[in-house]
C-alpha cells in the first residue's frame, strides 16, 4: 500500500465526501475541514489494511466528523445566541435562494439522528440499507428517523409558510452549488 494508491482513492472519493460533509454541516469551509480530518483518519486505518470498502468507510468517517463538529457548533451558537438574543439568519433576496435557506435552517434544527437520516436518504441519495450501515443502526431506525425528520421539517417550514417539503427544490439545488 503506497501513497500513490491512496492518492487515487482520495481523488476518487474527495468530491462526493465534500458534498456529503457540506450537506451535513451546511458550511463550505467546515465541510472541507471535516473531509480533511476524515481522510486523515481513513489513511491511518487504510495503511493498517483495515478498510474493505473505502467509499463506505469514507462516508462513515465524514458523518462521524460532521456530527462532532455539529455538536460543537450547536454549543457555540447557543452561547452566542444567549449573548446577543438574535439568532435570526439573513434572508436572501432571490426567492428560490430564500426558500433553500429556509430548508437548510429547518434541517439544522432537526435532531442529529433525524438530520443525518434525511440528508443521507434524500440529499446523498443512499438507500435505507446503506444509510443504516453508515449510521450503525437498523433499517427500521433509519425509516423512523427519516419519517420523523421529514414530519418535523414540514412543521418547521409550514410555520414559515413554505408548504410541503417534498415539493421543494431538488436535492442537487443546495446552497453552494457543485464543488
Amino acid at each position: 500500500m503506497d501513497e500513490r494508491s491512496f492518492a487515487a482513492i482520495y481523488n476518487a472519493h474527495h468530491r462526493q465526501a465534500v458534498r456529503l460533509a457540506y450537506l451535513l454541516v451546511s458550511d463550505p469551509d467546515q465541510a472541507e475541514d471535516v473531509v480533511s480530518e476524515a481522510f486523515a483518519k481513513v489513511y491511518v486505518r487504510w495503511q493498517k489494511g483495515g478498510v474493505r470498502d473505502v467509499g463506505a468507510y469514507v462516508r462513515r468517517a465524514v458523518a462521524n466528523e460532521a456530527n462532532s463538529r455539529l455538536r460543537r457548533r450547536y454549543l457555540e451558537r447557543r452561547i452566542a445566541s444567549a449573548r446577543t438574543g438574535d439568532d435570526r439568519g439573513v434572508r436572501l433576496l432571490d426567492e428560490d435562494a430564500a426558500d433553500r435557506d429556509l430548508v437548510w435552517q429547518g434541517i439544522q434544527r432537526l435532531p442529529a439522528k433525524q438530520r443525518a437520516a434525511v440528508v443521507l436518504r434524500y440529499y446523498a441519495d443512499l438507500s435505507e440499507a446503506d444509510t443504516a450501515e453508515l449510521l450503525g443502526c437498523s433499517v427500521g431506525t433509519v425509516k423512523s428517523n427519516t419519517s420523523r425528520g421529514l414530519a418535523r421539517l414540514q412543521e418547521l417550514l409550514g410555520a414559515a409558510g413554505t408548504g410541503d417539503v417534498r415539493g421543494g427544490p431538488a436535492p442537487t439545488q443546495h446552497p453552494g452549488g457543485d464543488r
Side-chain angles (χ1 to χ4, degrees):
M1 294 186 205
D2 64 8
E3 290 180 14
R4 282 183 290 211
S5 58
F6 189 76
I9 289 169
Y10 178 87
N11 289 334
H13 297 282
H14 181 262
R15 183 178 175 158
Q16 186 178 19
V18 169
R19 179 171 285 160
L20 174 61
Y22 177 78
L23 291 170
L24 292 170
V25 298
S26 302
D27 179 271
D29 295 326
Q30 287 252 346
E32 288 287 348
D33 291 344
V34 164
V35 170
S36 295
E37 288 294 322
F39 268 107
K41 292 173 182 174
V42 169
Y43 180 71
V44 169
R45 184 69 175 217
W46 176 79
Q47 278 187 314
K48 296 177 183 176
V51 179
R52 284 187 224 149
D53 181 354
V54 176
Y57 199 85
V58 167
R59 285 190 303 269
R60 180 79 182 236
V62 166
N64 288 342
E65 184 65 26
N67 280 336
S68 294
R69 289 186 184 245
L70 285 171
R71 280 190 296 270
R72 269 181 265 147
R73 192 165 78 181
Y74 171 75
L75 289 174
E76 290 168 0
R77 283 185 177 174
R78 201 166 148 204
I79 291 168
S81 166
R83 286 187 194 141
T84 65
D86 185 12
D87 59 351
R88 293 173 291 169
V90 176
R91 285 192 49 102
L92 303 172
L93 296 177
D94 179 68
E95 195 170 313
D96 289 337
D99 286 345
R100 284 192 301 270
D101 189 44
L102 281 174
V103 171
W104 284 109
Q105 288 176 18
I107 286 174
Q108 291 172 0
R109 291 180 62 189
L110 293 176
K113 290 179 182 180
Q114 291 176 11
R115 178 178 47 247
V118 169
V119 166
L120 292 172
R121 288 285 293 127
Y122 293 101
Y123 288 87
D125 200 27
L126 294 181
S127 69
E128 290 170 341
D130 289 342
T131 302
E133 183 179 347
L134 184 66
L135 296 176
C137 63
S138 70
V139 171
T141 300
V142 168
K143 289 179 180 182
S144 175
N145 282 329
T146 303
S147 175
R148 288 180 182 146
L150 288 175
R152 178 67 178 135
L153 193 55
Q154 193 156 1
E155 285 175 18
L156 292 168
L157 297 180
T162 60
D164 190 319
V165 174
R166 295 166 208 211
T172 56
Q173 297 176 339
H174 56 82
D178 286 342
R179 292 186 54 100

